[in-house]
Amino acid sequence: MDLDLQDRAYLVTGASRGLGSSVARALAAEGASVVIAARDQAALDEVAAELGPQAMAVVADISDPASAERLVAAAVARFGRIDGAMLNTGGPPASTPLTTTDEAWREGFETVFLGPLRVARSVAAAMSADPARPAGESGALLFTLSTSVRSPFTGLAISNGLRPGLAMMVKDLADELGPRGVRVNGLMPGRIATDRLFALDARQGAPDVVRRRHESNIPLGRYGEPEEFGRVAAFLLSPAASYIDGAVIPVDGGLLRCL
């Protein structure tokens, strides 16, 4: 399938590693230009070097209110347009409801909830204001959520508390931006084999034993690969997904048992 991503440009946040970098790679493989953003300069530069001239690295912390407009401006200055964004963040630290401090909740809200929302607003405004965008040509926003939207992860209180609210923002934004030709969707990764997941597994015991235990609860019998998540994201950001809007879709190997 041709995703029709040639000559399009996307912003991917949290793109220095894990799920974010997998999305940037999938978009670039389909011919899109990408602005990749994260806090880690060295890791970001490695991804940009791998992707080549169609990638631009911008160091940014999306919990900083000034970063949203700066990232959008960088994309437009480099590529002359912006067609959408993957709103991805690193996961919040492990904790329980009783051990999470007020400060950790505030920091989590800025990073997990408000940061992606700010960037989404800035990207949507830039797409709506672009006089060169043909009438009816859609843009797309995609949020990285978590299966904690529908079923909590033990020991990840901040994610359990904030991701469901962000999922509802996907629905709300889809209502507001749909008439402007901007689609908004969310992805709920399950147990995808990233460094963060392996670190969380290590907190529960011997990693191999923990992994086998978790895989026994996944119908496909294995952890997902970051590339599998990236391909789904690239499709949803592309014109090939032109009639998918307001959807929150699991990428979890069948782990969730709820609709």
Side-chain angles (χ1 to χ4, degrees):
M1 178 186 294
D2 180 3
L3 298 186
D4 191 22
L5 289 176
Q6 292 287 340
D7 301 320
R8 293 176 182 267
Y10 294 88
L11 168 64
V12 182
T13 63
S16 60
R17 55 178 58 85
L19 299 181
S21 65
S22 76
V23 175
R25 290 184 178 95
L27 289 169
E30 293 290 335
S33 298
V34 289
V35 173
I36 55 174
R39 292 176 294 181
D40 187 332
Q41 176 80 67
L44 202 59
D45 287 345
E46 284 186 20
V47 177
E50 174 189 338
L51 298 181
Q54 69 199 87
M56 176 186 184
V58 181
V59 175
D61 180 350
I62 65 170
S63 66
D64 175 2
S67 66
E69 291 190 4
R70 182 167 65 86
L71 288 170
V72 173
V76 174
R78 172 68 180 270
F79 300 116
R81 61 188 291 163
I82 187 166
D83 296 279
M86 179 82 220
L87 291 318
N88 180 69
T89 67
S95 63
T96 71
L98 295 181
T99 61
T100 305
T101 65
D102 287 0
E103 183 59 28
W105 279 113
R106 293 186 188 99
E107 290 177 2
F109 180 74
E110 286 286 342
T111 301
V112 173
F113 190 100
L114 194 51
L117 185 57
R118 286 192 194 104
V119 177
R121 289 196 308 243
S122 294
V123 174
M127 289 190 288
S128 298
D130 184 357
R133 183 176 296 278
E137 183 177 292
S138 69
L141 298 171
L142 185 60
F143 288 80
T144 300
L145 303 169
S146 166
T147 52
S148 63
V149 166
R150 296 185 184 168
S151 181
F153 274 113
T154 301
L156 292 181
I158 297 174
S159 180
N160 296 337
L162 297 178
R163 303 277 192 200
L166 192 58
M168 193 57 71
M169 284 298 98
V170 167
K171 294 287 191 180
D172 213 1
L173 281 170
D175 289 346
E176 188 172 7
L177 294 175
R180 303 187 209 173
V182 178
R183 298 178 296 105
V184 187
N185 294 293
L187 285 179
M188 298 184 292
R191 304 196 73 85
I192 308 293
T194 62
D195 290 344
R196 171 170 166 78
L197 181 64
F198 295 145
L200 292 172
D201 281 357
R203 294 172 60 92
Q204 301 175 36
D208 288 346
V209 174
V210 172
R211 179 166 182 163
R212 287 195 297 272
R213 183 172 75 243
H214 287 306
E215 287 179 334
S216 70
N217 294 319
I218 300 171
L220 290 185
R222 61 179 178 84
Y223 282 6
E225 294 299 324
E227 293 78 13
E228 293 176 299
F229 178 87
R231 289 193 292 268
V232 177
F235 167 71
L236 288 171
L237 286 166
S238 79
S242 58
Y243 204 58
I244 302 176
D245 191 28
V248 178
I249 299 169
V251 183
D252 67 349
L255 176 65
L256 284 174
R257 295 298 190 269
C258 53
L259 294 177

